[in-house]
């Protein structure tokens, strides 16, 4: 089964016809400023996760995302090296997926990394191990919720 719709030599020569809008930079500058203002004053929170996993530290991270909406993640890390800097792997899941249950994805932490597995804002899990237990329903009164 082909993994692309064009042969490799054509893909290398391909140039998109889509052009950057004139207001692209201004749009993103305004959007980022508004998102930061909505979350201002809300510090990230890290709390122990309720999990039977005992060989790792598993924590529940919450921080303000776009429009101040909470974004959640599991942070898993080795017990050893708690007080030393460790490399970090941040895993972003696609829409319809969720971070799953605490301690469900531990392969990176078992390999010596800090692993942060993110929920997608306004999503829970349609795949990836069932509903995230701490998922809150999106605010449908806000655009993009």
């Amino acid at each position: 089964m082909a993994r692309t719709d064009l042969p490799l030599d054509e893909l290398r020569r391909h140039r998109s016809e889509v052009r950057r809008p004139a207001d692209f930079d201004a749009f993103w500058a305004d959007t980022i400023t508004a998102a930061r203002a909505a979350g201002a004053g809300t510090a990230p929170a890290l709390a122990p996760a309720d999990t039977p996993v005992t060989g790792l530290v598993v924590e529940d991270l919450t921080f303000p995302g776009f429009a101040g909406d909470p974004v959640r993640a599991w942070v898993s890390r080795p017990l050893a090296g708690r007080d030393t800097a460790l490399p970090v792997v941040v895993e972003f899941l696609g829409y319809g997926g969720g971070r799953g249950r605490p301690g469900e994805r531990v392969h990176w932490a078992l390999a010596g990394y800090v692993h942060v597995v993110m929920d997608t804002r306004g999503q829970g899990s349609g795949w990836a191990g069932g509903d995230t237990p701490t998922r809150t329903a999106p605010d449908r009164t806000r655009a993009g919720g």
Side-chain angles (χ1 to χ4, degrees), residues 1-8 11:
M1 172 188 277
R3 295 182 181 256
T4 63
D5 59 351
L6 295 174
L8 183 58
L11 286 171

Side-chain angles (χ1 to χ4, degrees), residues 94-117:
Y95 280 103
R99 64 185 176 148
R101 304 250 176 230
E104 186 175 306
R105 287 182 169 90
V106 296
H107 56 281
W108 287 110
L110 289 170
Y113 295 84
V114 175
H115 181 224
V116 181
V117 60

Side-chain angles (χ1 to χ4, degrees), residues 5 13 28 98 112:
D5 59 351
R13 290 189 314 265
W28 282 110

Side-chain angles (χ1 to χ4, degrees), residues 72 98-99 119-120 122-126 131-138 140:
R72 308 292 293 265
R99 64 185 176 148
D119 257 342
T120 302
Q123 304 293 308
S125 181
D131 285 338
T132 300
T134 54
R135 178 181 178 223
T136 56
R140 298 286 181 207

Side-chain angles (χ1 to χ4, degrees), residues 6-124:
L6 295 174
L8 183 58
D9 61 325
E10 287 183 50
L11 286 171
R12 288 183 172 147
R13 290 189 314 265
H14 177 75
R15 298 296 175 259
S16 175
E17 294 178 16
V18 175
R19 297 293 172 233
R20 182 183 205 152
D23 66 344
F24 182 85
D25 291 332
F27 169 82
W28 282 110
D30 292 347
T31 299
I32 291 168
T33 298
R36 287 182 177 151
T42 306
L46 198 58
D50 181 17
T51 178
V53 174
T54 57
L56 299 168
V57 176
V58 181
E59 297 169 302
D60 188 3
L61 172 64
T62 306
F63 62 92
F66 184 79
D69 288 345
V71 176
R72 308 292 293 265
W74 297 126
V75 179
S76 303
R77 56 189 165 88
L79 283 170
R82 285 181 130 163
D83 300 324
T84 61
L86 294 172
V88 178
V89 174
V90 180
E91 181 179 358
F92 293 93
L93 302 170
Y95 280 103
R99 64 185 176 148
R101 304 250 176 230
E104 186 175 306
R105 287 182 169 90
V106 296
H107 56 281
W108 287 110
L110 289 170
Y113 295 84
V114 175
H115 181 224
V116 181
V117 60
M118 307 289 301
D119 257 342
T120 302
R121 178 183 161 270
Q123 304 293 308

